[in-house]
Amino acid sequence: MLVAISQRGERESKYGSVDILERSYGEYFDRFDVNLIPVPNVGRVLKKYFHQLKVEGIILSGGGDVHPSLYGGDINYPGNYSSDRDETEKSLLEIALDQGLPVLGICRGMEAINVNFGGKLIQNLEKDVADALNHRGTRHSITVSEDSIVNSMETDTFEVNSYHDLGIGTQQLSSQLIPFAVAEDQTIEGLYHPEHAIAAVMWHPERENSLHALNEFLTNAFISRKLFWRDRQG
């Protein structure tokens, strides 16, 4: 399976702007025979990728922050922003909708999906969420509400890693999206679009030292176009 994946857009160095994709993505998805095509943060070339290559899916990767101006947040709030990446991921979603391609969002990718469908973000989880968990460089439990996952895995509770500073609560969730996993502080850890093959998680499957059962289940569903990623155009 050939899958296009977005990259971090880093600040300019003496050699110009730099796009970066952690090797862990390639190592993780290689286990599932997925070949990744890193997409440069140059929106005008994207259609060439999808015209010349038989891309079968899209991953919006983690790392960095969606610019606050896109969801009415505090534009002075510190973060690692890339307007080029914001525009590139918007274009990737437009291509996915146009071509009926499945989309998997990871961490920042989930935030980008929510924002692009009209949602917002919590910029300071510790300050703005009652009894907030620590979501930075730690692990915590989540509760899954999707019956097909619960029935297949025989549990609704899982432990996942957590590497994010921003988050999504019920008040910030796009009206077009549905949550399927929440943390103990009720922030959303997984969501999907009921009409398009788009779903995302806030944790990082590619950062696990061993294959996590829930990650394996979701990744296989993405690849085989089942669950949230089933083909709704057929």
Side-chain angles (χ1 to χ4, degrees):
M1 183 181 188
L2 193 63
V3 174
I5 185 170
S6 65
Q7 302 186 79
R8 292 173 182 258
E10 296 296 330
R11 295 182 176 87
E12 289 190 7
S13 68
K14 64 180 179 179
Y15 303 110
S17 298
V18 178
D19 294 331
I20 297 174
L21 181 68
E22 293 92 327
R23 186 179 298 174
S24 56
Y25 285 102
E27 293 172 343
Y28 174 76
F29 285 100
D30 181 63
R31 299 179 184 182
F32 299 89
D33 292 324
V34 171
N35 296 313
L36 299 179
I37 300 295
V39 174
N41 289 308
V42 184
R44 65 180 180 274
V45 307
L46 291 187
K47 290 186 178 180
K48 295 179 181 179
Y49 276 68
F50 291 83
H51 177 72
Q52 297 176 7
L53 301 173
K54 295 182 179 180
V55 174
E56 300 171 79
I58 293 171
I59 296 171
L60 302 187
S61 65
D65 303 296
V66 178
H67 198 277
S69 64
L70 298 177
Y71 57 88
D74 179 3
I75 61 173
N76 295 313
Y77 194 81
N80 184 7
Y81 306 122
S82 168
S83 58
D84 290 332
R85 182 179 183 179
D86 289 332
E87 189 62 34
T88 293
E89 292 189 331
K90 178 182 179 181
S91 296
L92 286 172
L93 283 171
E94 291 172 349
I95 290 170
L97 292 173
D98 181 61
Q99 299 187 14
L101 297 174
V103 177
L104 169 61
I106 296 175
C107 200
R108 182 206 189 276
M110 178 168 133
E111 297 171 358
I113 288 170
N114 188 55
V115 169
N116 275 279
F117 281 102
K120 299 180 181 297
L121 300 177
I122 301 169
Q123 289 183 288
N124 190 327
L125 287 168
E126 183 177 357
K127 176 182 177 182
D128 297 331
V129 176
D131 301 318
L133 295 173
N134 175 22
H135 289 274
R136 290 186 243 177
T138 186
R139 304 183 71 84
H140 61 71
S141 65
I142 61 168
T143 301
V144 173
S145 58
E146 173 62 33
D147 288 341
S148 56
I149 298 176
V150 174
N151 294 336
S152 296
M153 306 295 291
E154 299 183 341
T155 183
D156 67 350
T157 305
F158 302 89
E159 184 183 83
V160 297
N161 59 43
S162 188
Y163 294 95
H164 57 98
D165 296 314
L166 286 74
I168 302 169
T170 55
Q171 296 300 311
Q172 293 75 36
L173 182 67
S174 162
S175 61
Q176 300 181 60
L177 302 173
I178 298 175
F180 71 85
V182 296
E184 293 176 16
D185 59 9
Q186 298 308 300
T187 55
I188 296 168
E189 290 279 325
L191 55 76
Y192 70 96
H193 198 295
E195 298 177 6
H196 302 289
I198 297 173
V201 298
M202 280 302 293
W203 63 92
H204 285 261
E206 82 286 356
R207 292 184 183 177
E208 295 287 354
N209 292 326
S210 59
L211 197 56
H212 188 291
L214 178 59
N215 293 337
E216 182 177 15
F217 185 87
L218 292 173
T219 304
N220 280 324
F222 168 68
I223 293 168
S224 59
R225 301 218 58 174
K226 296 179 179 178
L227 192 60
F228 311 121
W229 298 280
R230 64 187 183 276
D231 187 355
R232 293 174 174 83
Q233 294 191 352

